[in-house]
Amino acid sequence: NAGVMQNPRHLVRRRGQEARLRCSPMKGHSHVYWYRQLPEEGLKFMVYLQKENIIDESGMPKERFSAEFPKEGPSILRIQQVVRGDSAAYFCASSASGMKETQYFGPGTRLLVL
Amino acid sequence: GENVEQHPSTLSVQEGDSAVIKCTYSDSASNYFPWYKQELGKGPQLIIDIRSNVGEKKDQRIAVTLNKTAKHFSLHITETQPEDSAVYFCAASNTNAGKSTFGDGTTLTVKP
């Protein structure tokens, strides 16, 4: 029974490029959450999605960041025109419908912006 | 919004001793409190959780207590082992809202 999967595990981008981070939730889970973790810091909520819907994006920067969770395929966190301050670990979590508070995390994507 | 404070930020104990990590929260609507363990280079792993209708929960060497009146909850690890060394995060959430607010983490070091 596969857990939450994220790819790539490591991503290097130059300033101004785009970063696309993918998250496949656990089988049977329809809720996805994205968090950002800066070095030596805790997890900061970014966005909460259900299939085809953004439920809460209160933690998402207003510019350059977007997220989607299509009917088919993984959830995507997209960062346009990356800057050095975007360097962080990005974690995805998923939960089952009706148990949205129990979140299971993926291994994360470590983004480095040069 | 919710604000979660976690203490201490670092904790060092001798193998076999107990470790206690404390968290406070601000939103009285929060009703679910999970604890996560994060090892270096990995994602957070759920180790135990407690809901607001329960005061204490235990799972082998790990226990969590919740005081809703005071808005604080604690993680207790007994008979610590070197493999317990990791960063531990508490979180608080309102299950009607879905998102969790995390504490800043406690780095636990268990010395053999």
Side-chain angles (χ1 to χ4, degrees), chain A residues 4-13 17-25 32-37 46-47 49 60 64-70 73-82 86-93 106-113:
Chain A
V4 178
M5 298 175 67
Q6 290 187 250
N7 68 80
R9 295 292 307 277
H10 300 274
L11 182 61
V12 179
R13 286 286 178 266
Q17 292 184 317
E18 178 179 287
R20 278 185 178 240
L21 287 61
R22 296 175 189 79
C23 169
S24 296
V32 165
Y33 313 78
W34 284 95
Y35 293 85
R36 177 162 63 178
Q37 186 177 37
M46 298 181 73
V47 62
L49 311 101
M60 192 95 98
R64 302 188 298 108
F65 285 71
S66 62
E68 62 177 12
F69 189 15
S75 175
I76 306 286
L77 178 67
R78 184 183 176 201
I79 311 172
Q80 295 178 291
Q81 300 174 338
V82 295
D86 296 333
S87 296
Y90 292 83
F91 291 96
C92 165
T109 294
R110 280 144 188 87
L111 172 65
L112 176 62
V113 180

Side-chain angles (χ1 to χ4, degrees), chain A residues 37-56:
Chain A
Q37 186 177 37
L38 294 170
E40 308 295 325
E41 293 190 12
L43 293 145
K44 302 302 181 188
F45 168 80
M46 298 181 73
V47 62
Y48 163 34
L49 311 101
Q50 287 179 269
K51 284 285 188 180
E52 300 185 275
N53 289 305
I54 295 175
I55 307 302
D56 183 346

Side-chain angles (χ1 to χ4, degrees), chain B residues 62-81:
Chain B
I62 296 174
V64 58
T65 58
L66 171 65
N67 183 328
K68 281 215 72 180
T69 304
K71 296 198 189 70
H72 67 70
F73 55 112
S74 301
L75 177 71
H76 304 253
I77 306 174
T78 58
E79 300 172 23
T80 53
Q81 302 167 1

Side-chain angles (χ1 to χ4, degrees), chain A residues 37 58 100-101 103 105, chain B residues 32 36 38 51 95 98-99:
Chain A
Q37 186 177 37
S58 58
K100 54 182 181 281
E101 69 279 10
Q103 299 178 22
F105 282 81
Chain B
Y32 176 67
Y36 292 88
Q38 186 177 26
R51 299 176 193 275
T95 55
K99 69 179 183 184

Side-chain angles (χ1 to χ4, degrees), chain B residues 4 8 10 17 33 42 48 64 68 75 77 84 92 99 101:
Chain B
V4 176
T10 59
D17 288 349
F33 308 92
K42 297 183 178 180
I48 195 168
V64 58
K68 281 215 72 180
L75 177 71
I77 306 174
D84 294 330
K99 69 179 183 184
T101 301

Side-chain angles (χ1 to χ4, degrees), chain B residues 28-40:
Chain B
S28 57
S30 289
N31 56 6
Y32 176 67
F33 308 92
W35 285 88
Y36 292 88
K37 176 183 181 182
Q38 186 177 26
E39 297 176 324
L40 195 62

